[in-house]
């Protein structure tokens, strides 16, 4: 018995060591892209345009993925796969370190109501227009809607496991966020200055901040658009944006239940899946078909712990930096596994959907914020 046990132990250790070695090349590649993306994002030209490390990482990843990645794919695939699955989920959980429940009090109930109405209306509009008018598949409509209505690329990544999305679907949705979020970074401050000169609407800095925070896609883009007017506008915009981000967890749970009931999304095949969902469980009972996004619940739990103000500032800083690294690595991995031909195959329809949603966010968001 003891002889059998001792003979198994080295074998088990060897297996773990072999698996670990297989992960190293891909993790190093994603890490290198992350390092470059963070350095570029810190440069004034990129930061002034609201281009975050996440956005830059997927661009670099796609450039490498569509050129030289084929030569190293066999050795790097395992680590790249880990980055876009496990590290992604851990990154979403740690995203809670950026938020507290006190943010809701700071914003006020009218601000929370604006965020909720903007989120719900934008996502519903995305589903109606995307599937019924533009004829997009459900996965693309869901991801573009999530990215536009909540928090850009992070929302797209978090929604992908629930929607059983492919890497190509995710890349298309992220691309729309990058395009129109960047446009918004310039458009919102320009409109504020035009309105200030022409006095079309009463638009104080606080209202402008709420408008930006409740409608602009990415957190970095919100900061850039707010700072272009004033520090106080930026502060209000960030708080509104953080409350909107906090709605990600209940959104994912509701979406999962809705998809399970209506069975409106056909799961991706194992080869296509961006996040490891492969089972077609349409014959299971409703509760068994609901994909519980445990990482979203972890996100809420971390937010709750952060709200208690018991995390030392040093640990909070390290955790936030680690979160940036994890999410950026996930975006790098996504770019590496995305082929331009697949994005081209998606056509102009996802971009058109994102354009309509962007116009809705700008117009309806301004009306709603001014009215309330």
């Amino acid at each position: 018995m003891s002889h059998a046990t001792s003979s198994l132990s080295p074998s088990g250790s060897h297996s773990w060591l072999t698996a670990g070695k297989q992960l190293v090349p891909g993790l190093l590649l994603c890490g290198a892209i992350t390092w470059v993306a963070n350095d570029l994002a810190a440069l004034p030209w990129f930061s002034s345009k609201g281009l975050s490390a996440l956005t830059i990482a997927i661009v670099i990843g796609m450039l490498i993925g569509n050129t030289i990645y084929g030569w190293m794919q066999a050795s790097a695939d395992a680590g790249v796969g880990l980055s876009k699955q496990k590290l992604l989920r851990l990154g979403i959980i740690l995203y809670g370190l950026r938020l507290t429940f006190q943010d809701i009090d700071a914003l006020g109930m009218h601000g929370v109501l604006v965020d909720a109405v903007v989120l719900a209306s934008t996502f519903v509009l995305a589903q109606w227009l995307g599937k019924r008018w533009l004829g997009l598949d459900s996965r693309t409509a869901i991801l573009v809607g999530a990215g536009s209505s909540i928090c850009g690329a992070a929302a797209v990544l978090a929604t992908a496991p629930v929607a059983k999305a492919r890497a190509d679907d995710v890349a298309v949705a992220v691309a729309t966020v990058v395009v129109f979020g960047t446009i918004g970074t310039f458009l919102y401050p320009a409109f504020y200055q035009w309105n200030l000169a022409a006095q079309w609407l009463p638009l104080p800095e606080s209202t402008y901040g709420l408008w930006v925070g409740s409608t602009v896609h990415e957190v970095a883009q919100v900061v850039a658009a707010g700072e272009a007017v004033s520090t106080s506008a930026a502060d209000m915009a960030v708080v509104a944006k953080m409350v909107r981000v906090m709605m990600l967890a209940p959104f994912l749970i509701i979406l999962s239940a809705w998809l399970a009931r209506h069975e409106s999304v056909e799961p991706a095949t194992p080869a296509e899946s961006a996040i490891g969902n492969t089972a077609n469980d349409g014959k299971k009972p409703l509760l068994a078909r609901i994909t519980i996004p445990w990482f979203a619940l972890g996100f809420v739990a971390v937010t709750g712990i952060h709200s208690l103000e018991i995390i030392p500032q040093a640990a909070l800083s390290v955790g936030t930096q680690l979160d940036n690294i994890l999410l950026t690595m996930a975006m790098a991995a996504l770019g590496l596994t995305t082929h331009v031909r697949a994005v081209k195959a998606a056509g102009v329809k996802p971009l058109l959907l994102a354009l309509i949603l962007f116009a809705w966010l700008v117009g309806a968001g301004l009306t709603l914020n001014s009215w309330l």
Side-chain angles (χ1 to χ4, degrees), residues 20-40:
K21 286 182 177 179
Q22 290 174 347
L23 295 174
V24 170
L27 290 175
L28 287 176
L29 177 59
C30 291
I33 294 173
T34 296
W35 178 62
V36 173
N38 276 298
D39 278 0
L40 291 176

Side-chain angles (χ1 to χ4, degrees), residues 72-350:
M72 62 185 85
Q73 185 171 0
S75 60
D77 253 2
V80 170
L82 179 72
S83 296
K84 71 178 182 182
Q85 295 176 25
K86 305 296 184 183
L87 297 190
L88 163 62
R89 290 174 173 138
L90 182 56
I92 297 297
I93 291 171
L94 291 179
Y95 205 82
L97 292 174
R98 306 167 191 262
L99 310 171
T100 67
F101 294 137
Q102 287 87 339
D103 291 335
I104 298 176
D105 291 333
L107 186 62
M109 286 312 299
H110 72 285
V112 176
L113 179 61
V114 168
D115 276 345
V117 171
V118 168
L119 191 161
S121 63
T122 304
F123 186 76
V124 170
L125 182 63
Q127 304 318 295
W128 183 75
L129 288 175
K131 291 188 286 188
R132 296 195 178 185
W133 186 53
L134 294 173
L136 290 170
D137 64 87
S138 296
R139 290 188 294 259
T140 301
I142 288 171
L143 294 182
V144 173
S148 298
S149 61
I150 308 174
C151 54
V156 173
L157 290 170
T159 306
V162 177
K164 299 180 174 66
R166 302 168 301 184
D168 299 334
D169 300 324
V170 179
V172 168
V174 170
T176 66
V177 167
V178 171
V179 170
F180 293 104
T182 302
I183 292 173
T185 304
F186 296 99
L187 179 63
Y188 281 73
F191 179 86
Y192 178 83
Q193 297 301 332
W194 295 336
N195 183 71
L196 194 63
Q199 293 296 308
W200 298 320
L201 296 169
L203 190 63
E205 290 182 0
S206 59
T207 303
Y208 170 81
L210 286 172
W211 178 40
V212 169
S214 61
T215 57
V216 174
H217 298 62
E218 292 271 5
V219 175
Q221 294 160 353
V222 166
V223 174
E227 288 283 1
V229 169
S230 71
T231 301
S232 61
D235 291 344
M236 182 62 74
V238 170
V239 171
K241 181 63 175 180
M242 290 299 97
V243 171
R244 190 167 150 214
V245 171
M246 201 177 294
M247 295 176 179
L248 177 63
F251 164 81
L252 292 176
I253 295 170
I254 293 170
L255 175 64
S256 179
W258 182 77
L259 291 178
R261 178 175 292 277
H262 294 277
E263 299 177 15
S264 58
V265 174
E266 180 182 349
T269 65
E272 294 173 328
S273 179
I275 32 65
N277 289 307
T278 59
N280 187 346
D281 46 21
K283 296 182 180 180
K284 295 181 180 179
L286 174 61
L287 290 178
R289 294 201 306 271
I290 296 176
T291 304
I292 300 175
W294 296 109
F295 60 91
L297 300 183
F299 163 78
V300 173
V302 171
T303 301
I305 295 171
H306 185 207
S307 302
L308 298 175
E309 299 182 352
I310 59 176
I311 303 176
Q313 188 59 43
L316 194 61
S317 177
V318 171
T320 303
Q321 291 177 16
L322 176 61
D323 180 49
N324 283 331
I325 292 171
L326 293 175
L327 289 178
T328 308
M329 288 182 69
M331 292 296 281
L334 176 63
L336 288 169
T337 53
T338 299
H339 299 292
V340 172
R341 62 178 179 273
V343 177
K344 286 182 178 178
V348 299
K349 290 183 178 180

